[in-house]
Amino acid sequence: MDKISSIRGMPDVFQSDTNYLAELNEVLSKIFLSHNLIEVNTPILEQTELFVRSTGATSDIVNKEIYSFNDRNEQSLSLRPEGTAGVVRSIIQKKLDNAEHKLWYQGPMFRYERPQKGRFRQFNQAGVELLGFEEGSSDLEIISIVCDIFIELELEDSVLKINHLGDKDTKEIFLSELLKYLKNYDGKLNESDSEKLNKNPLRLLDSKDTELKNFLNKGPKIIDFLSPEQLNLLDMIQSVFGKYVEIELDSSLVRGLDYYTGLVFEAVSSNLGAQDSFLGGGRYDDLSQDLGGKEMPAIGFAIGLERLNLIKKQKNIKANKVISFVTTSSKMSALAFKIAQLLRSHNYDIRLETNFTDASLKAKLRKASKLGAKFVFIMGDEEFESETITVKSFDEDGYQVNMTFDEILDFYKNI
Ligand code: HAM
């Protein structure tokens, strides 16, 4: 019979030495808690209309990447491509859009993109949304959370790019100047950039076309149209957080979703290759009203866990220690299981691999070495009789010591 394989870009994920997704989630949730954020879980499936009205009818997400289908009731549903729209929808639905909320979430997102290193069709994001907060200290708070992620995960070779898209009026004036300037480039735009020109000209600023990029570099810059308050915000971010994170002002940063209104930012890492952005966010003051809610200024960001994992993997940070516990035959397995149970309950940071079968000790040691075990605990006939365990180190020194059960418990707790 034909075998069935998974969908392209949606790999099965096994947690291993080189896959720290669970650990990353743990670190991130601690940081979010330390900022007094509350976890929220919204559904993976939403009405398609939600994403059309939020990420924008002209965005790549809605035009090319969304997974949509009609259910049995002929209602158009979509797998969520991102988390912000669902969170805002949920707050409006609960009639809580007149209050402040500091929320975080994590879970799978879906985008029909061309799979490559760091780019999947199903991937995981952890995100933060501060809802009901005007521009000002909430912008600094959001950057402070990003900063904690940089510090805690030791992302010192990454850069945080920031920009400000201005308010509605600034944006309008800037766009008319940009369009005037682009007249000198008439007829030279490629197909995808001409489409952007018609639908959302601001997105031309992050065009991949080098010639256009060079041309735009010499053109009007949004920073020259910002108010003193908006410029002050960019200055404050750099002066408060610049000593922890490398911050770069990038006037070509516009982000791919249509809902952004003020501060926007993206974190990039030189360890990631073409898909170098692992975190992105910004202010979206109009989204609540675009979704039928009250005025609810907001700011947030999301971080891609697979991309974060790639950075960590390259740096080979902290894999939990592996210890192999073996017996020379299955006859000691009842006692060995009791000891293993006791050991684990005193230190869940260690991966205790057990092998209490009748296979040869040589084979068990070979397997332990392959697993990268730091120590092997051996219980043979002699140890069984004397109620001890032999600890063999797999380090270069290769020492071997015999310990009582109490001693080994103490040893295990402090590894
Ligand atoms: P985004 O920039 O589209 O923003 O996605 C955030 C992060 O998700 C990216 O920086 C990247 O790490 C990861 N990501 C995106 N697409 C893929 C993919 N195909 N494969 C793997 N990872 C991917 C948002 O989604 C906004 N909702 C962020 C936000 C929250 N803005 C305000 N609040």
Side-chain angles (χ1 to χ4, degrees), residues 181-241:
Y181 179 71
L182 276 164
K183 289 233 161 72
N184 306 319
Y185 202 76
D186 231 10
K188 288 208 263 176
L189 289 178
N190 64 30
E191 199 185 324
S192 103
D193 286 336
S194 313
E195 210 180 305
K196 282 185 192 165
L197 179 67
N198 291 330
K199 291 181 173 169
N200 183 359
L202 206 57
R203 297 258 358 251
L204 282 174
L205 295 181
D206 70 356
S207 164
K208 304 276 175 284
D209 183 322
T210 332
E211 201 186 328
L212 175 63
K213 258 181 155 169
N214 291 337
F215 177 77
L216 288 171
N217 265 340
K218 294 181 209 121
K221 299 266 178 319
I222 196 148
I223 192 148
D224 298 322
F225 296 80
L226 297 180
S227 69
E229 291 78 22
Q230 292 161 347
L231 288 171
N232 186 38
L233 178 68
L234 294 176
D235 275 351
M236 260 172 87
I237 290 174
Q238 291 173 90
S239 72
V240 176
F241 302 107

Side-chain angles (χ1 to χ4, degrees), residues 174-327:
F174 170 69
L175 272 180
S176 79
E177 291 297 313
L178 183 70
L179 291 175
K180 242 190 261 166
Y181 179 71
L182 276 164
K183 289 233 161 72
N184 306 319
Y185 202 76
D186 231 10
K188 288 208 263 176
L189 289 178
N190 64 30
E191 199 185 324
S192 103
D193 286 336
S194 313
E195 210 180 305
K196 282 185 192 165
L197 179 67
N198 291 330
K199 291 181 173 169
N200 183 359
L202 206 57
R203 297 258 358 251
L204 282 174
L205 295 181
D206 70 356
S207 164
K208 304 276 175 284
D209 183 322
T210 332
E211 201 186 328
L212 175 63
K213 258 181 155 169
N214 291 337
F215 177 77
L216 288 171
N217 265 340
K218 294 181 209 121
K221 299 266 178 319
I222 196 148
I223 192 148
D224 298 322
F225 296 80
L226 297 180
S227 69
E229 291 78 22
Q230 292 161 347
L231 288 171
N232 186 38
L233 178 68
L234 294 176
D235 275 351
M236 260 172 87
I237 290 174
Q238 291 173 90
S239 72
V240 176
F241 302 107
K243 75 171 183 211
Y244 303 104
V245 175
E246 191 182 334
I247 299 178
E248 190 187 298
L249 202 59
D250 179 355
S251 56
S252 69
L253 180 69
V254 288
R255 310 261 308 126
L257 305 155
D258 285 359
Y259 52 58
Y260 291 112
T261 45
L263 177 73
V264 285
F265 51 91
E266 225 166 75
V268 295
S269 162
S270 51
N271 287 319
L272 283 175
Q275 299 306 315
D276 63 351
S277 157
F278 62 93
L279 177 154
R283 176 160 284 283
Y284 51 95
D285 285 350
D286 303 327
L287 183 56
S288 172
Q289 283 158 302
D290 291 345
L291 295 177
K294 299 203 170 79
E295 192 180 328
M296 183 172 63
I299 185 163
F301 70 85
I303 187 160
L305 296 186
E306 285 76 9
R307 291 193 191 166
L308 200 53
N309 184 52
L310 273 175
I311 302 176
K312 295 269 291 178
K313 192 155 95 180
Q314 305 226 345
K315 295 171 93 186
N316 205 9
I317 289 175
K318 197 172 114 200
N320 282 358
K321 288 188 189 106
V322 179
I323 289 181
S324 195
F325 181 12
V326 304
T327 55

